[in-house]
Amino acid sequence: MPAVAVALAVLASGALLATGTTATAGPAEKARPAGPTMNDSFASAAEEYGVPRDVLVSLGHSETHLDGHDGKPSQANGYGVMHLVSNPARHTLEKAAKLTGRPVAELREDTDANIHGGAAVLRAYADQLGMDAAERGDTDAWYPAVARYGGARGATARLYADDVYTFLAKGVRGKAPDGERVSVRARHIAPDTSKVAKSGPEAKSPDYPDAKWAAAHANNFATGRTEQLNKIIIHVTQGSYAGSISWFQNPDAQVSSHYVVRSKDGEVTQTVRDGDTAYHARSANASSVGIEHEGYVDDPSWFTDAMYRSSAELTRHLADEHGIPLDRDHLIGHSEAPGNDHTDPGPHWNWDTYMKLVKG
């Protein structure tokens, strides 16, 4: 069994990772709209397109925690629970419209349409991969189609698929914005990861020993710095961990950050060297290091204890390495950087807890 399959299978025996006790309470649940429930939508989309229902739920949970964010786009211009994307490099939103016959506007804003659109796109990838009926009935066989859905290549594509399959292994206990519970039972999984090409051995960060390395495209950062490095800026990705890393590798993105921290376990990936200028905070780019945190500003469920602790360790390392004071004048949110109009990390980011962790 491949190493990743063994690791994911072991996770199946564990309890669902806690979302942490440090995040503030979530927003009030919305009134449940008329029409199909989210569970109904996943079930009908799975039946219509021949995709395992639990694969669809785990993919949606990995992308958005089952929250369509009222049709607002992610950083990569992705929409809805299934994160259907429309940007210069990817057009899964338009692909879903063609496959389902539903208007783009409906796919962006209507959860039922979005889930069906995601299922249609995933099935199309399965067909392109030549999956037959028997394979489509096997949850493990969908691994390469899931990797393709993420839009990345090589190691980042595996990272995306591994995230989805980790949720399949552990199970999902999700909640729609209106309070409806959506779940997946834990199971043993053993996907054949060899069908997803890997671009060589896993690279390690050149600047932070505990991080992986996945270089941003050269269009999305500047070599060197024109100002002294004197601050660390906290961001929220407005998208998934693997999706954000992939977006930084897109030459059309014109955005990057030095580090990205994963929600569920605090894993860190570096994408720009500390000594180079990432495009993350406009006028503060040249004088700062940017740390992106997986999630959305309006959903506190992403801000786990594991994420806070891992990010705090990274911040302490950066402060020691570059002589940056560990105070709120030099450790700031994106919204506090001069000349910026962003709102992240937002009201659910617990600065008191974070600063206590940073200072040890």
Side-chain angles (χ1 to χ4, degrees), residues 48 50 97 114 150 227 245 257 259 262 279 282 317 331 341:
E48 181 174 354
N114 188 269
E227 298 180 27
I245 295 168
S257 189
Y259 296 91
R262 187 159 62 185
Y279 298 158
R282 295 187 181 177
H317 166 84
L331 178 54
D341 58 1

Side-chain angles (χ1 to χ4, degrees), residues 2 127 190 196 233 238 267:
D127 291 344
V196 179
I233 298 181
Q238 294 298 100
E267 180 178 277

Side-chain angles (χ1 to χ4, degrees), residues 34-343:
T37 66
M38 188 174 289
N39 280 297
D40 289 339
S41 296
F42 277 118
S44 62
E47 181 176 1
E48 181 174 354
Y49 292 102
V51 180
R53 178 261 186 196
D54 288 358
V55 171
L56 290 178
V57 174
S58 297
L59 194 156
H61 184 75
S62 179
E63 282 279 16
T64 65
H65 281 194
L66 306 179
D67 189 342
H69 301 283
D70 296 321
K72 297 175 183 176
S74 71
Q75 182 178 182
N77 214 44
Y79 294 87
V81 167
M82 303 304 289
H83 199 246
L84 295 172
V85 176
S86 178
N87 65 42
R90 294 179 60 208
H91 302 280
T92 55
L93 179 63
E94 291 81 6
K95 185 180 184 73
K98 182 177 181 180
L99 291 168
T100 64
R102 303 198 189 200
V104 164
E106 184 180 351
L107 289 162
R108 286 198 303 255
E109 300 171 6
D110 181 81
T111 295
D112 180 68
N114 188 269
I115 290 172
H116 280 76
V121 171
L122 191 59
R123 172 58 188 272
Y125 290 146
D127 291 344
Q128 291 172 12
L129 290 164
M131 289 174 61
D132 59 26
E135 289 174 314
R136 294 197 301 272
D138 178 6
T139 297
D140 287 344
W142 284 85
Y143 185 93
V146 169
R148 188 168 293 192
Y149 188 98
R153 296 181 179 180
T156 306
R158 285 197 179 202
L159 178 63
Y160 180 89
D162 286 351
D163 277 354
V164 175
Y165 271 74
T166 296
F167 286 117
L168 273 168
K170 291 165 37 192
V172 171
R173 293 193 313 200
K175 186 168 71 170
D178 63 9
E180 179 189 359
R181 298 287 179 176
V182 182
S183 63
V184 170
R185 296 182 66 179
R187 71 188 69 204
H188 173 83
I189 61 167
D192 182 1
T193 63
S194 67
K195 294 183 178 180
V196 179
K198 191 173 183 179
S199 56
E202 183 177 286
K204 299 297 291 183
S205 162
D207 294 317
Y208 183 51
D210 293 333
K212 296 180 178 180
W213 171 253
H217 193 278
N219 287 0
N220 299 333
F221 69 94
T223 302
R225 290 184 178 274
T226 58
E227 298 180 27
Q228 180 182 355
L229 176 56
N230 61 18
K231 65 179 70 70
I232 299 167
I233 298 181
I234 301 298
H235 299 263
V236 174
T237 58
Q238 294 298 100
S240 71
Y241 176 68
S244 297
I245 295 168
S246 176
W247 183 232
F248 296 161
Q249 294 172 332
N250 183 328
D252 296 306
Q254 296 294 299
V255 66
S256 63
S257 189
H258 293 88
Y259 296 91
V260 188
V261 185
R262 187 159 62 185
S263 170
K264 69 174 183 282
D265 58 4
E267 180 178 277
V268 180
T269 292
Q270 184 178 14
T271 64
V272 176
R273 294 292 305 269
D274 291 359
D276 291 332
T277 303
Y279 298 158
H280 65 106
R282 295 187 181 177
S283 63
N285 284 341
S287 61
S288 65
V289 171
I291 306 176
E292 288 277 6
H293 297 81
E294 180 184 30
Y296 291 81
V297 295
D298 61 353
D299 186 350
S301 69
W302 293 91
F303 303 145
T304 64
D305 186 66
M307 171 184 279
Y308 279 124
R309 291 183 182 279
S310 176
S311 178
E313 290 177 8
L314 169 60
T315 291
R316 281 200 304 273
H317 166 84
L318 292 170
D320 290 344
E321 190 73 15
H322 302 292
I324 302 171
L326 286 174
D327 57 45
R328 287 286 280 115
D329 289 329
H330 299 87
L331 178 54
I332 64 175
H334 191 182
S335 60
E336 299 170 307
N340 284 271
D341 58 1
H342 288 250
T343 62

